[in-house]
Amino acid sequence: YRAKEQGKNNYVVYKSIKSEGLNQLTLENSLRKALQNNEFELHYQPQMNIKTGQIFGAEALLRWNHPKIGYIPPNVFIPVAEELGLIVSIGEWVVEEACRELAKWRQSLPELRVAVNLSARQFLKQNLVARIYEIMQKTNTPAHCLELEITESMTMDVEHASEIIGQLKSLGVKVSIDDFGTGYSNLYYLKKFSVDSLKIDQSFIRDIVVDDNDADIVATIIAMADRLGIGVIAEGVETEEQLNFLIQHGCDSAQGYFFYRPLPAEEFRAVLR
Ligand code: C2E
Ligand code: MG
Ligand code: MG
Ligand code: MG
């Protein structure tokens, strides 16, 4: 039902885009100006250590607050931003904004981390590693407090991807594979790349309690990550039953509506307090 819900949300957004008389072209034009007009915001979804119940960090999730339409979800505008080549500058803004916010959290909780999603284009851009380094210097971010999320679809060119991941790792930043299990050749990538953690896609978590196949897949991913000595985080945890399953199978960490939805920065800070 989640895909349906997502579809419905996107439909509602498209409908209001249309009723505002915004066609694809004007949407593109307003997206071009969104950065300079300060229309982007990051929301933060707490990441939980499910053994201790503590928050160890947050994933930054991009929101476009359009002056006429309101919030437009990333699944709607990120593909457009990719196509227009805007995603690289937007993505750099995301990393810098997340690091600036992290600095505030770290005043009281110095070990807190922030995770940022990278787009394919950003990941494959020549100067990614240099840009990340500059932003870390500028914002005083210790490398181990910054995590970059990539997806399997970005790592098609295995040699190139493993070189970039190697460079990021030598900066000391953490690298995780997002939506793990939805791409292909996962096991080959695990052999080639030294990532810090796997994020089990929410489509596997959804029916974990009722579908034996999903339960077996998730239990196996957790065991495999453990054998490989890397972290594992479950995405989209919505119920206590799902949480109990994950705890029973030795999963370290999770995020999802059961704990918190993505929160505006001030609300996340309030939760930390
Ligand atoms: P993702 O990185 O896999 O993020 C998880 C998505 O699942 C987020 O959707 C989050 O709000 C949602 N979610 C979290 N917990 C639950 C839950 O318990 N149930 C359900 N149904 N959903 C949950 P969101 O914020 O709409 O983001 C969608 C996707 O957009 C992200 O998937 C990511 O791929 C992309 N994205 C978001 N921010 C950025 C960004 O700054 N840069 C790039 N390149 N991509 C981004
Ligand atoms: Mg993510
Ligand atoms: Mg994901
Ligand atoms: Mg996703």
Side-chain angles (χ1 to χ4, degrees), residues 75 178-179 201-202 235:
N75 291 329
D178 202 355
D179 305 336
D201 191 67
Q202 58 186 50
E235 295 192 277

Side-chain angles (χ1 to χ4, degrees), residues 86-99:
L86 300 170
I87 193 67
V88 175
S89 49
I90 296 172
E92 284 179 2
W93 178 85
V94 170
V95 177
E96 187 166 334
E97 176 68 15
C99 286

Side-chain angles (χ1 to χ4, degrees), residues 125-165:
K125 187 112 197 288
Q126 267 313 315
N127 63 355
L128 170 77
V129 181
R131 288 297 295 131
I132 299 277
Y133 182 69
E134 279 168 30
I135 294 170
M136 280 165 40
Q137 296 288 101
K138 188 168 156 189
T139 55
N140 251 315
T141 303
H144 71 279
C145 295
L146 178 62
E147 179 165 315
L148 300 175
E149 298 189 3
I150 61 173
T151 60
E152 291 156 324
S153 61
M154 300 178 194
T155 57
M156 303 285 262
D157 180 348
V158 177
E159 294 310 320
H160 187 46
S162 67
E163 194 181 311
I164 301 169
I165 292 171

Side-chain angles (χ1 to χ4, degrees), residues 10-34 37 39 64-72 76-77 80:
N10 289 357
Y11 175 74
V12 170
V13 171
Y14 282 125
K15 226 176 98 184
S16 76
I17 288 171
K18 243 178 128 185
S19 69
E20 288 294 337
L22 292 175
N23 56 26
Q24 181 70 16
L25 198 68
T26 45
L27 180 72
E28 288 180 11
N29 284 333
S30 53
L31 189 55
R32 284 184 212 282
K33 285 180 286 188
N37 291 349
E39 289 167 11
W64 179 15
N65 194 358
H66 189 284
K68 284 188 188 151
I69 299 165
Y71 283 117
I72 302 181
V76 173
F77 70 84
V80 184

